[in-house]
Amino acid sequence: MGITRVEKNIFSQNTDEIASELVQSLSKMDNSILLFKVLAFAVKNNAEFVRGLDESIFENTDIFRENYVTLLKHALNQAVDAPQGNTDTDVPSIAAIKSYTPKELSIFFGVSITTIFNWIDQGRFIGVQRAGANKHNLIPDDTTYVYGSGKRTTIKDIVTLWRQEEAVHDSTLEISDLDYHTGQIALYEDKYKGEFERTLGTTLNLTPEEETDAQVWKHHLGRQHLGFKDTEK
C-alpha cells in the first residue's frame, strides 16, 4: 500500500484545515500537544525542525497551528519518499522541505530583513506569522509568496531563480562587477522611465512590488558607487 499522487495532492491542499482540526478539535488540548510531540520525534529527517521548538509554541493557537502545518507537510514528504514495496509508479520522489530564515530570504529577494518581516505581517507569505519572543522564523520553501500584483509563486521558485542569476553572473567572467551592476540599473531605469532619484526615490507611497524594486535598485546603485571608487584607486 502506498500514497498515490491524488492522495498526496488532497492532503497537501488540506494541510491547513487538518492542522486546525488537530489543534482545536481533539477532545483535549493536551491530546493535541501530545500527538504533535509524538509526530515531531517520530518523523524521519526532522532534527532541524525539532531543535527550533520549545513549549512556548503551545501558548499561542496560531503559532501552534503554523508549526503543525510545517510538521504535516514534512511528514507527507517523508511518507511519499519512503519505500512501500509495490508502490504507485506515478508517485514522484519529493525532496524534504527546506526552510529559510528571514535573513536568508532578504538575500534571495534583494531586500532588507525589515522588509521581509513587514511582508510577513502583511500576509505576503501565506500561512506564516511572526515567531514569538526569543524565537526565530523558519519559512518552508513550499510557502506561497504573493507579489504586490497578486501573482503567486513559491519560495523554492524564488530561490531557484536567484541561484540561476548568481550562476549567470559568476560564469560571465568577462563582465566586471561594475558593468554588471550598471547593466542592472539600466534595466530599472528603462522599467520606470528615469533615474532612481526621479522615480521610486521620490515616491512616498510605494506598492509592494515597487518597494521590492526600490530595495534592489538601491543595492545595485550602492555597488556601482563602490565600483567607481575602486576604479579611481
Side-chain angles (χ1 to χ4, degrees), residues 48-67:
E48 181 180 354
F49 176 73
V50 171
R51 281 196 298 269
L53 299 175
D54 62 37
E55 297 290 328
S56 66
I57 70 167
F58 306 125
E59 298 172 3
N60 183 297
T61 302
D62 290 334
I63 294 176
F64 186 19
R65 185 192 62 80
E66 175 188 335
N67 280 275

Side-chain angles (χ1 to χ4, degrees), residues 118-139:
N118 287 339
W119 288 348
I120 292 175
D121 292 340
Q122 294 166 9
R124 299 273 293 277
F125 297 103
I126 302 299
V128 176
Q129 296 179 337
R130 284 218 201 196
N134 301 320
K135 295 290 293 180
H136 301 285
N137 275 104
L138 283 176
I139 304 176

